[in-house]
Amino acid sequence: MSCTWRKSIRSTGAWILILFSYGIVSAARIPNKGLAVAKEADARDLGWKDQYADVEMILKNRQGEVSVRKMAAQNLEVAGGGDKLLIRFDYPKDIRHTAFLCFTHKLAPDDQWIFLPALKRIKRISSHNKSGPFMGSEFAYEDITSQEVEKYTYAYQGEEWFEQALCHVVVRTPIDPKSGYTRQLVWFDQDAYRYRKIAYYDRKGDLLKTLVYSGYEKFHDRFWRAATMHMVNHQTGKETVLNWTNFTFFNGYQPVDFTRGRLKSRS
Amino acid sequence: MRCTDMGRGGMDGQCWKLLLAGWFLVIGLQASGAALELGGYIGLENRVFWHPSPIDGVPDFFTGSIFGQMEVAQDMEGGGSLVFTPFLRWDPKDTERTHGDIRVLKWEQSFGCVSLRAGMDKVFWGVTESCHLVDVINQTDILEQQDYEEKLGQPMVNISYAFGDQTIEIFWLPFFRERRFPGSEGRFRTPFPVDTDLATFSASREEKHSDLALRWFATAGDLDIGVSWFSGTQREPELRPVPGKGVLAPHYPLMQQIGLDAQWVQDSYLLKVEYLHRFDNGDPWHAAVTGVEHTLYGLWETTADLGMMVEYLFDSRGKSATSTFDNDLFFGVRLALNNTGDFTCVTGPLVDLDTRASLFRFEMEGRLSEQWKLCVNTYVYANHDKGESFYSLRHDDFSEVLLKRYF
């Protein structure tokens, strides 16, 4: 009698072990849907090689006062690595010809330089302050530098309608502890996997900012670019609007155009 | 006005001709219908001196001047660009300080990895804040701000070749720009005034001597490094008393120098070093500046940053160094509010560890509106004993307000 009892325990135990193992293996094979959505969005925007755009940045504070910044942004797509960004400021006039160069890296800190036209000086700056404001706006440095898939971990939240588009909602958590955010909620539309909205949560976990993309246009039949990005800071009441115009692709930019020696040239 | 001094026939004597050439260029380009970019600023400077001057004729407490700079630029078909930037300052009290200069008058173009530039321009080399050791190409315009960061335009032909993360460049520098000094009625003048008409040169061709410079620089991850070599007329003059005349005459020797500048970034720390070795003019000597900059971001949950800098300055010539920074320590603090006005404040002392002589700077600037900018600066020269390089400036502590209108 005891022999059969022990035998049945052993066989039950074996089944539990088998089922448990199967469960683990299955879970490992179930794709992270959030990561899959992020990767699809990234894959849909590959092959643009280089990009030029004029950007107008409008800053509004709680009292309704408005300031304007104008700049030209050049991007270089880097295969397998982070993209390169070169911004030349145009307005206000006292910062005209100031330039900002950034080499984004997937996991290492970005390399950043600034060109100060009054002194003709090129300064390497620390990119440690990724959560700091870019040009006094509501966009942080980490918001404007290239969004690499590897910088976050992902979880799928669900589907939601946003502005007549059915979207995948993905929770993404920055891997870098220096990030100003504990998590972000990203709305990707299901049509073309374009960014529609991002909600940013600060280090305390409270909703800090919301970014809405609008005015999407298709270039070269492949690349979607938003004409307007509207960032609202719910805690301070300040807003920043980025208006993007004159997108051009395949300009023939080379890596040498994105070196610190070229920062001082006019274009 | 300095530009009208045709006596020496040197660079300044050519100044008017170059200004005219520049204006003809502007008019010609406008007539051709080319789209010109125009910009610049006009400024008003008001200075208050804390002590009356012991020298007769020099203003005791107040000085004011007007200054302005214009930039005219033209992007050409084919990728090149032309830039013309004249500068002018009018000082009603100090006729020597009233001066004009062509900061930039150049053509430049890039052809793939090669960049070419010809004309007058400004080149900056360096990474440290308290002192720019290796920066040698341009002559300092000491009539301008007391931080000695303003430079006169330098004629040059420059070719750069970029390969990977490295660049190598060569400079041919024809024509030497002599340093201008305050007049007999100007503040910051030496007790015996400097008579630039009596300037002498080691080079037989004097100011027409051509200088040569080479530089290599590269980025390797977190490290930015540059090595440079220069051969030619030393930009800093040796001021020699002229017997019987009660004036000083500048003498410009020939020299060679090798410079190194490097910066390493790690998190919110920047480690910097500049090293200079000068030879071929009397005894060789070397100097170095090394420092650390650390920034605290987002002070008290705001967008403000606080940067802290410490730099040590050394010169092997000791107390006979013309630059006076032979064993000095600099502490600096930079506060940047990162607001819409981009308000920034930099302050800190530079102290000689042997004599306790110090140079204290306070510089503040911010944008009042999209056209107007305000700067408030204070300089204090303390504890300078006889024999110290800044001894003649010990009564020249001042505060100034600059208002600039951009257009």
Side-chain angles (χ1 to χ4, degrees):
Chain A
M1 182 72 178
S2 57
C3 198
T4 20
W5 185 235
R6 255 184 265 129
K7 232 188 191 170
S8 56
I9 288 173
R10 270 207 296 273
S11 56
T12 319
W15 273 115
I16 290 169
L17 197 63
I18 288 167
L19 284 167
F20 190 57
S21 312
Y22 179 72
I24 289 174
V25 170
S26 299
R29 272 199 270 120
I30 289 171
N32 176 342
K33 190 161 181 193
L35 176 63
V37 169
K39 280 187 169 172
E40 181 62 31
D42 190 58
R44 296 262 180 141
D45 194 41
L46 282 178
W48 45 271
K49 294 242 155 84
D50 61 58
Q51 174 186 298
Y52 172 92
D54 288 319
V55 187
E56 184 190 38
M57 178 186 269
I58 300 171
L59 299 96
K60 280 184 214 164
N61 67 9
R62 207 193 276 265
Q63 287 81 33
E65 290 163 346
V66 172
S67 294
V68 177
R69 307 271 178 274
K70 291 188 189 163
M71 62 203 88
Q74 294 169 294
N75 296 70
L76 183 73
E77 199 177 36
V78 174
D83 298 340
K84 297 191 179 186
L85 168 67
L86 174 54
I87 296 180
R88 293 184 194 281
F89 298 95
D90 216 29
Y91 188 87
K93 297 285 179 78
D94 62 285
I95 56 165
R96 198 147 165 258
H97 302 314
T98 305
F100 171 71
L101 176 67
C102 180
F103 296 171
T104 329
H105 297 298
K106 288 185 189 280
L107 293 170
D110 297 343
D111 301 326
Q112 293 175 351
W113 292 263
I114 192 157
F115 171 66
L116 303 166
L119 301 167
K120 299 261 165 76
R121 180 175 175 181
I122 297 164
K123 262 187 104 152
R124 177 97 182 242
I125 55 180
S126 161
S127 61
H128 187 85
N129 186 31
K130 56 200 302 173
S131 60
F134 178 71
M135 296 301 291
S137 73
E138 294 310 308
F139 285 85
Y141 279 93
E142 61 183 307
D143 302 335
I144 59 147
T145 49
S146 107
Q147 305 292 296
E148 302 294 322
V149 174
E150 290 82 348
K151 286 185 170 177
Y152 305 93
T153 56
Y154 301 85
Y156 191 75
Q157 176 122 312
E159 287 185 339
E160 204 179 282
W161 284 92
F162 179 70
E163 289 183 354
Q164 286 107 45
L166 184 60
C167 297
H168 292 297
V169 184
V170 173
V171 181
R172 66 182 189 185
T173 308
I175 291 176
D176 191 339
K178 294 194 297 292
S179 170
Y181 313 119
T182 42
R183 72 187 198 283
Q184 298 172 14
L185 242 60
V186 186
W187 278 253
F188 293 100
D189 66 34
Q190 297 192 4
D191 278 341
Y193 284 79
R194 298 167 294 192
Y195 284 90
R196 299 306 287 257
K197 182 163 111 163
I198 303 180
Y200 300 87
Y201 291 81
D202 65 14
R203 292 199 176 106
K204 297 196 195 81
D206 300 325
L207 177 64
L208 176 66
K209 309 187 294 202
T210 305
L211 172 62
V212 173
Y213 294 73
S214 56
Y216 270 104
E217 251 185 80
K218 205 171 191 186
F219 295 89
H220 297 277
D221 225 25
R222 285 161 64 192
F223 313 119
W224 287 99
R225 289 292 180 268
T228 307
M229 293 184 191
H230 188 170
M231 179 81 87
V232 176
N233 185 321
H234 305 290
Q235 296 179 10
T236 62
K238 292 187 182 174
E239 298 173 29
T240 303
V241 176
L242 293 182
N243 291 319
W244 298 74
T245 49
N246 301 328
F247 281 103
T248 50
F249 298 86
F250 308 114
N251 297 288
Y253 296 153
Q254 295 300 316
V256 73
D257 300 319
F258 291 76
T259 52
R260 62 171 164 130
R262 289 290 166 92
L263 268 184
K264 59 185 187 303
S265 355
R266 289 169 48 72
S267 53
Chain B
M1 178 153 152
R2 207 64 185 87
C3 269
T4 55
D5 181 5
M6 304 289 276
R8 282 207 52 79
M11 188 61 225
D12 290 342
Q14 310 300 325
C15 192
W16 273 127
K17 293 180 195 164
L18 276 171
L19 264 171
L20 272 170
W23 281 115
F24 276 121
L25 184 70
V26 171
I27 293 164
L29 285 170
Q30 278 212 300
S32 73
L36 279 182
E37 272 180 49
L38 283 174
Y41 61 83
I42 289 182
L44 179 66
E45 174 197 272
N46 278 309
R47 284 180 169 169
V48 176
F49 290 88
W50 297 13
H51 315 286
S53 173
I55 304 170
D56 277 336
V58 174
D60 277 337
F61 292 108
F62 299 106
T63 63
S65 63
I66 295 171
F67 58 102
Q69 182 167 295
M70 186 151 159
E71 190 193 283
V72 182
Q74 167 71 55
D75 287 331
M76 308 192 309
E77 283 172 27
S81 57
L82 287 167
V83 182
F84 174 46
T85 305
F87 171 84
L88 204 65
R89 178 181 289 272
W90 176 67
D91 186 322
K93 279 281 188 174
D94 181 359
T95 50
E96 289 298 320
R97 193 162 184 241
T98 295
H99 68 292
D101 183 38
I102 294 172
R103 298 297 199 218
V104 182
L105 177 55
K106 66 170 174 181
W107 164 84
E108 64 182 352
Q109 184 157 356
S110 293
F111 304 90
C113 295
V114 177
S115 292
L116 293 178
R117 161 170 48 176
M120 297 182 71
D121 202 359
K122 180 189 167 173
V123 171
F124 178 88
W125 297 343
V127 294
T128 49
E129 310 301 322
S130 56
C131 177
H132 304 307
L133 264 190
V134 304
D135 190 27
V136 70
I137 300 267
N138 291 77
Q139 174 65 270
T140 307
D141 191 345
I142 66 164
L143 297 172
E144 286 304 297
Q145 298 309 305
Q146 286 303 109
D147 59 7
Y148 289 11
E149 295 209 322
E150 282 295 323
K151 305 278 183 176
L152 298 178
Q154 170 66 47
M156 64 176 71
V157 174
N158 162 231
I159 304 172
S160 293
Y161 176 67
F163 50 107
D165 289 319
Q166 305 173 55
T167 305
I168 190 156
E169 48 185 6
I170 187 164
F171 295 85
W172 176 61
L173 309 162
F175 300 108
F176 176 77
R177 301 296 309 271
E178 291 173 52
R179 182 166 291 187
R180 295 163 161 144
F181 292 88
S184 50
E185 291 131 16
R187 276 281 183 164
F188 311 110
R189 54 159 273 200
T190 43
F192 292 110
V194 177
D195 187 350
T196 52
D197 287 339
L198 302 175
T200 55
F201 294 80
S202 292
S204 53
R205 298 191 68 219
E206 300 193 330
E207 71 278 359
K208 293 193 188 69
H209 178 89
S210 293
D211 305 327
L212 208 60
L214 271 179
R215 180 168 153 85
W216 166 86
F217 61 93
T219 298
D222 294 328
L223 181 69
D224 278 1
I225 188 165
V227 177
S228 55
W229 168 80
F230 171 89
S231 171
T233 306
Q234 182 174 282
R235 270 73 176 121
E236 303 88 22
E238 291 161 8
L239 295 176
R240 296 172 171 175
V242 178
K245 281 196 171 184
V247 296
L248 296 172
H251 173 74
Y252 297 97
L254 284 169
M255 59 89 177
Q256 283 193 61
Q257 74 172 43
I258 293 186
L260 166 79
D261 56 276
Q263 184 176 279
W264 188 57
V265 59
Q266 193 62 32
D267 290 340
S268 55
Y269 288 88
L270 296 169
L271 262 73
K272 312 168 185 190
V273 67
E274 283 190 33
Y275 172 79
L276 178 68
H277 176 61
R278 221 176 251 186
F279 54 103
D280 230 20
N281 172 33
D283 294 327
W285 55 271
H286 55 267
V289 185
T290 181
V292 180
E293 184 176 339
H294 173 55
T295 310
L296 293 171
Y297 298 107
L299 282 184
W300 303 301
E301 311 273 304
T302 64
T303 55
D305 298 333
L306 186 72
M308 293 162 292
M309 302 163 271
V310 176
E311 287 178 4
Y312 174 69
L313 299 88
F314 169 78
D315 190 312
S316 68
R317 294 171 294 175
K319 290 296 167 231
S320 57
T322 49
S323 70
T324 210
F325 302 134
D326 62 317
N327 182 24
D328 293 58
L329 201 60
F330 167 69
F331 290 101
V333 163
R334 180 190 290 120
L335 177 68
L337 292 189
N338 293 318
N339 56 355
T340 46
D342 277 330
F343 176 90
T344 324
C345 174
V346 182
T347 185
L350 207 171
V351 184
D352 187 315
L353 294 174
D354 299 315
T355 66
R356 298 285 182 270
S358 52
L359 173 59
F360 177 81
R361 286 200 294 201
F362 173 87
E363 292 166 355
M364 200 171 85
E365 64 175 30
R367 196 181 295 126
L368 297 176
S369 77
E370 281 170 15
Q371 282 82 32
W372 293 90
K373 192 165 175 183
L374 181 74
C375 305
V376 177
N377 303 322
T378 293
Y379 285 79
V380 178
Y381 307 93
N383 297 327
H384 289 268
D385 296 325
K386 220 169 161 62
E388 297 269 323
S389 300
F390 283 128
Y391 179 68
S392 60
L393 298 177
R394 69 197 184 286
H395 297 293
D396 288 328
D397 304 340
F398 73 99
S399 295
E400 66 180 359
V401 175
L402 304 171
L403 194 61
K404 286 185 183 170
R405 200 321 183 166
Y406 285 83
F407 58 91

